[in-house]
Amino acid sequence: MSIDEPISRRVFLHRGALASAAALAAAVIPGVPWIPGSGDADAAIMGIGQELRDVLNFETCNRILTEALARGGTFADLFAEQRFTTKIALDDGKIESVTYGYPRGAGVRVDRRQQTGYAFSDEVSFNALLDAARVASAIVENQSPVTPIDLTRRDVAPAFMLSSPAPLMNETTKFDFVRRLDAAARAVDPRIVSVRVEYTDDVRDILIATSDGSYYLDRQYLVNISCTPIAVEGAERRSGFGSLGGRVDEPYFSRRSPEDVAREAAEQALVLLQAGPAPAGAMPVVIGPGWGGVLIHEALGHALEGDGIRRGTSVLTGKLGTQIGSPLLRVVDDARVPFGRGSYSIDDEGTLGQRTVLVDRGILQSYLLDRQSASILGGKSTGNGRRASYRNRPLPRMSNTFIDRGASDPTSLLSGIKKGFYAAMLGGGTVETTSGNFNFAVREGYWIEDGKITRPARGAVLIGNSLETLRRLEGVGNDLYIEPARGTCGKDGQMIPVGVGQPTVRFSAITVGGTAI
Amino acid sequence: MANLTPREILDRVRDLAQRSGAAEAEAYLEIVNFTEARVRQGEVEFLSQSAVQGLGVRVFVDRKVGFSYTTDLRPNVMDELVRRTIALAGQNAPRDENRLPDEQLPALPDLEIYDAAVAAMRPADLIALARKTEDQAFAADKRIQATRHAHAGVAVGEVHFTNTFAPYQTYRTTTCSLGVTAIATDGTVKREGGFDDRRRIFLDLNTPERIGRRAAERAAARLGGATIATTNAPVIFEADAAASFLAGLLPALNATNVIEQRSFLAGKPNRQVASPLVTIVDDGLLRRGLGTHPFDGEGVQHRRTVVIERGVLVKFLHTATTARRMNVRMTGNAVRSYDTLPAVGPTNFYLQAGASTLDKMVSETPRGLLVTELAGFGIDTVSGEYSQQVAGRWIEKGVLGASVEGVTVAGRLDEMLLGIDAVGKDLEYRSAIASPSIRFRQLTIAGS
């Protein structure tokens, strides 16, 4: 066994159906997971969701769904999932650890109007899921049984095709990427004293069977590599951050070089060593393209999610068709962005991922709906029913959410600002959808003085209120970029990958949480 | 799976790992049965009941670390994962300190982390508790006309553990939780206020009356909130906000981050890093504590560690590996789940109660801000900078005044910690990280 040919690539297995394939490899053990490796031959042999399908065929799914609706209910589904994840962590110049993860299980959900019952099993077996269906149905009391419609396998129109999904790269390549990022970041400057690199990938097979008669199978690939260098000079200590990945092919890494990402992250840490205090108070703010879309994710996206709308708890309840922002504002949620981290062909309850215009010329066009919120509000799901895993019920969530391209030259957006703030790279943010009060951290920020970007500023949060801030949008650049590599959104304890994006944008006033008065 | 006992599963994978090339191996099996009920406007909105079972196996091959986890406990699946992990770990870099701890565990007194009354709770009991809590929120204030939901939950957990040096060990825990997020309205705007409680022992739980009333008070207090002019002033963090701030400081006290130069407290041991009023403790043996267990995620006994004593930085939190790397004694702070490697984390982590009270702090403050809510991100434990969105009440001449929102508070963590000039008595263990109310001498408040 050489390093170039790790065993994990050769051995694949599953039980039952492919007994003849067992002859191909002496190491085949029934019931052992297929583990991705280079070359998709294994995948072709296995077929998407094969191991799940062996247990959850039309007949068993139908019996489970029948049990789920035995006490009544408006909708039920069965969601099964099998994932294989690889993690490689490097710190202090050394690969510290490698992790293989193989979570697998299935859950049953029963809806009755605003009510949801949910139960799951870590064991994928007919009996365990029949029990789960019974437990999930306990939410419904004393109603007549409902008969699920017979299942039909439906096609999943792919959002985009991958010929050589990155998670299937051989492990030597994955280790190399990690070491290359580390070396490139360190080479930038001796003040880079420490670098942490994390590689994570994920191959996720899902199976969805719904009480309205649909049966879907899909496979989703995801990869992320992040790099966090630390720069130290005297008593000052700053971190930089860079990442690459998405639902990408292997050739992506020749277009977006790991070395470039590491260098940018190291340079960010070095710039921040020179940073002085950030300004404090309300002022004009310009936010850079790409990851800057965290703003629209927080300031608008969450408040449009259908659960808050159907309950009437969101500040945007009842605002459809009304002016909620500047006429320059156009916002899109698009699950079919090629290679996007938040992209999917099908959501986690059996609706095809789609492109939805949320806001056009400042007027609210659509909410983000899952099946349950669509059935209560009237209309169709927008394909935004997502879940972190089989242990969770689906909730209305964003996919890739971005402010659409505008007309302005990005550099022109600085002109006329006497004192303001430029956010070159953001951190994370949060929002309270009841009030619309939101915040997001700035990782790399600068003062704007007399229409020019001048000094770097220390970390600060920016805060605002959705309805006020969206009206203060006064410039949108023509440099739209949708960040494919990073973005993990948490809601109700469920963490899911999302994408955000925007061109350079300018607001007349946002409160900057610095210390320089 | 069903036909193997937890002990058989663990012994089996450990032995297999050792036969397959691992010098040392550790196996950790976690089983959690939980039930959760949510009630909104009196109706059961969500009911979930399930069992989580997962296995994590850590191997050391030539002082290199590999780890795998699965929820699929079929024996041949576990075997294959372990074999592959050992092969993959071969590509890592060795480190002399990469070894299992080989400490012997002493017998422990009853830590009171399991309550049969919690384990016996049924969905109907939880629904009744959540309903009562929501009703109390409505009853407390007529401006509460909706809730996000009231929730009640129980979790009954088992951890099973073994490694190359330690015989099989196990413990059980229970957790019960109760809370509500109330929504207050004045006819035009809505604001939320929540109050949650989590406990090991059912009788420790706050009553639905208190939880509902506190949530209602918090929501109502936020109505009419407005921003204020940017200024510098003393800022009081009410207990829950202080606990959230304390949680944000944790990465700076994590030995892994200290070793890797990613903590503003690196190089500061034995120095005065906070006001003499500040003593911070991590106590993994706190009776009935939510972070209490007989041993940590790699089989080391939990203990009580004073991290900051009267403002002096005494000790960082360690796993066995970080303790070896810094050549200090272990602290039993390897925290994990079945699907994560043991890594430095808190057990019961708290700022010790002081002599003041929240009322006294307010009355002593001529002009300042009482912070009742923190939102979002704000603490950078690498650079030591702090900036965060907050909401609360303005204080004028020692009296609570108008509701404040749309502001941030900011400062440098080193100056902030040294500038804590009051610590309250109101420490309450409603989560594993807890703090009494504290006052910072001066922060920058950014508003309009």
Short mmCIF file of all heavy atoms in Angstrom, two decimals, chain A residues 191-211:
data_model
loop_
_atom_site.label_atom_id
_atom_site.label_comp_id
_atom_site.label_asym_id
_atom_site.label_seq_id
_atom_site.Cartn_x
_atom_site.Cartn_y
_atom_site.Cartn_z
N ARG A 191 6.73 37.54 10.74
CA ARG A 191 5.79 37.86 11.82
C ARG A 191 4.59 36.91 11.83
O ARG A 191 3.79 36.95 12.76
CB ARG A 191 5.31 39.31 11.68
CG ARG A 191 6.41 40.33 12.04
CD ARG A 191 5.97 41.75 11.69
NE ARG A 191 5.80 41.90 10.24
CZ ARG A 191 5.24 42.96 9.65
NH1 ARG A 191 4.77 43.95 10.40
NH2 ARG A 191 5.13 43.02 8.35
N ILE A 192 4.46 36.09 10.80
CA ILE A 192 3.42 35.05 10.85
C ILE A 192 3.96 33.93 11.73
O ILE A 192 4.83 33.15 11.32
CB ILE A 192 3.09 34.52 9.43
CG1 ILE A 192 2.61 35.65 8.52
CG2 ILE A 192 2.05 33.39 9.50
CD1 ILE A 192 1.29 36.29 8.92
N VAL A 193 3.46 33.85 12.97
CA VAL A 193 4.06 32.93 13.94
C VAL A 193 3.32 31.60 14.03
O VAL A 193 3.82 30.65 14.62
CB VAL A 193 4.09 33.57 15.35
CG1 VAL A 193 4.98 34.80 15.35
CG2 VAL A 193 2.68 33.90 15.83
N SER A 194 2.12 31.56 13.48
CA SER A 194 1.33 30.34 13.64
C SER A 194 0.28 30.30 12.55
O SER A 194 -0.23 31.34 12.13
CB SER A 194 0.69 30.40 15.05
OG SER A 194 -0.49 29.66 15.10
N VAL A 195 -0.01 29.11 12.07
CA VAL A 195 -1.02 28.96 11.02
C VAL A 195 -1.87 27.74 11.35
O VAL A 195 -1.32 26.68 11.68
CB VAL A 195 -0.40 28.76 9.62
CG1 VAL A 195 -1.49 28.65 8.55
CG2 VAL A 195 0.56 29.89 9.28
N ARG A 196 -3.16 27.89 11.28
CA ARG A 196 -4.05 26.74 11.43
C ARG A 196 -4.75 26.53 10.09
O ARG A 196 -5.26 27.47 9.50
CB ARG A 196 -5.08 27.02 12.53
CG ARG A 196 -6.04 25.87 12.77
CD ARG A 196 -6.99 26.18 13.93
NE ARG A 196 -6.28 26.15 15.21
CZ ARG A 196 -6.87 26.41 16.37
NH1 ARG A 196 -8.13 26.76 16.42
NH2 ARG A 196 -6.18 26.35 17.49
N VAL A 197 -4.72 25.28 9.62
CA VAL A 197 -5.41 24.96 8.36
C VAL A 197 -6.35 23.80 8.63
O VAL A 197 -5.98 22.83 9.31
CB VAL A 197 -4.41 24.57 7.25
CG1 VAL A 197 -5.15 24.30 5.93
CG2 VAL A 197 -3.36 25.65 7.05
N GLU A 198 -7.57 23.91 8.14
CA GLU A 198 -8.53 22.82 8.31
C GLU A 198 -9.15 22.46 6.96
O GLU A 198 -9.66 23.33 6.26
CB GLU A 198 -9.63 23.22 9.29
CG GLU A 198 -9.13 23.21 10.71
CD GLU A 198 -10.17 23.65 11.72
OE1 GLU A 198 -11.18 24.27 11.33
OE2 GLU A 198 -9.95 23.38 12.90
N TYR A 199 -9.05 21.20 6.63
CA TYR A 199 -9.69 20.67 5.43
C TYR A 199 -10.89 19.84 5.87
O TYR A 199 -10.77 18.99 6.77
CB TYR A 199 -8.69 19.79 4.66
CG TYR A 199 -9.33 19.06 3.50
CD1 TYR A 199 -9.24 19.58 2.21
CD2 TYR A 199 -10.06 17.89 3.70
CE1 TYR A 199 -9.87 18.94 1.15
CE2 TYR A 199 -10.69 17.25 2.66
CZ TYR A 199 -10.60 17.78 1.38
OH TYR A 199 -11.22 17.16 0.33
N THR A 200 -12.05 20.08 5.27
CA THR A 200 -13.23 19.26 5.57
C THR A 200 -13.95 18.96 4.28
O THR A 200 -14.17 19.86 3.47
CB THR A 200 -14.23 20.05 6.45
OG1 THR A 200 -13.53 20.59 7.55
CG2 THR A 200 -15.33 19.14 6.97
N ASP A 201 -14.31 17.72 4.06
CA ASP A 201 -15.21 17.45 2.94
C ASP A 201 -16.32 16.51 3.37
O ASP A 201 -16.29 15.94 4.46
CB ASP A 201 -14.46 16.97 1.70
CG ASP A 201 -13.86 15.58 1.84
OD1 ASP A 201 -14.43 14.75 2.57
OD2 ASP A 201 -12.83 15.32 1.19
N ASP A 202 -17.28 16.38 2.49
CA ASP A 202 -18.51 15.71 2.86
C ASP A 202 -19.18 15.17 1.60
O ASP A 202 -19.32 15.90 0.62
CB ASP A 202 -19.40 16.78 3.53
CG ASP A 202 -20.70 16.23 4.10
OD1 ASP A 202 -20.80 15.01 4.27
OD2 ASP A 202 -21.60 17.03 4.37
N VAL A 203 -19.52 13.90 1.62
CA VAL A 203 -20.34 13.33 0.55
C VAL A 203 -21.64 12.90 1.22
O VAL A 203 -21.62 12.11 2.16
CB VAL A 203 -19.67 12.11 -0.10
CG1 VAL A 203 -20.56 11.54 -1.20
CG2 VAL A 203 -18.31 12.49 -0.66
N ARG A 204 -22.74 13.47 0.77
CA ARG A 204 -24.02 13.26 1.47
C ARG A 204 -25.03 12.64 0.51
O ARG A 204 -25.40 13.25 -0.48
CB ARG A 204 -24.52 14.63 1.93
CG ARG A 204 -25.83 14.62 2.70
CD ARG A 204 -26.33 16.07 2.84
NE ARG A 204 -27.36 16.20 3.86
CZ ARG A 204 -28.41 17.03 3.76
NH1 ARG A 204 -28.57 17.79 2.70
NH2 ARG A 204 -29.30 17.10 4.73
N ASP A 205 -25.45 11.43 0.80
CA ASP A 205 -26.52 10.78 0.04
C ASP A 205 -27.81 10.96 0.81
O ASP A 205 -27.86 10.71 2.02
CB ASP A 205 -26.25 9.28 -0.11
CG ASP A 205 -25.32 8.98 -1.28
OD1 ASP A 205 -24.76 9.94 -1.85
OD2 ASP A 205 -25.16 7.79 -1.62
N ILE A 206 -28.86 11.41 0.11
CA ILE A 206 -30.15 11.55 0.79
C ILE A 206 -31.25 10.82 0.03
O ILE A 206 -31.18 10.65 -1.20
CB ILE A 206 -30.55 13.03 0.99
CG1 ILE A 206 -30.64 13.78 -0.35
CG2 ILE A 206 -29.59 13.74 1.91
CD1 ILE A 206 -31.19 15.20 -0.22
N LEU A 207 -32.22 10.37 0.76
CA LEU A 207 -33.40 9.70 0.21
C LEU A 207 -34.61 10.35 0.85
O LEU A 207 -34.66 10.51 2.07
CB LEU A 207 -33.34 8.21 0.55
CG LEU A 207 -34.46 7.28 0.08
CD1 LEU A 207 -33.95 5.84 0.02
CD2 LEU A 207 -35.71 7.34 0.95
N ILE A 208 -35.56 10.78 0.03
CA ILE A 208 -36.76 11.44 0.54
C ILE A 208 -37.99 10.73 -0.02
O ILE A 208 -38.09 10.54 -1.23
CB ILE A 208 -36.81 12.93 0.13
CG1 ILE A 208 -35.52 13.65 0.56
CG2 ILE A 208 -38.04 13.62 0.72
CD1 ILE A 208 -35.29 14.96 -0.17
N ALA A 209 -38.89 10.33 0.85
CA ALA A 209 -40.17 9.77 0.41
C ALA A 209 -41.27 10.58 1.07
O ALA A 209 -41.26 10.78 2.28
CB ALA A 209 -40.28 8.31 0.82
N THR A 210 -42.22 11.07 0.25
CA THR A 210 -43.24 11.97 0.77
C THR A 210 -44.63 11.35 0.67
O THR A 210 -44.89 10.53 -0.22
CB THR A 210 -43.26 13.30 0.00
OG1 THR A 210 -43.66 13.02 -1.36
CG2 THR A 210 -41.89 13.96 -0.01
N SER A 211 -45.51 11.80 1.54
CA SER A 211 -46.87 11.24 1.54
C SER A 211 -47.66 11.69 0.31
O SER A 211 -48.72 11.14 0.04
CB SER A 211 -47.61 11.63 2.82
OG SER A 211 -47.77 13.03 2.88
#
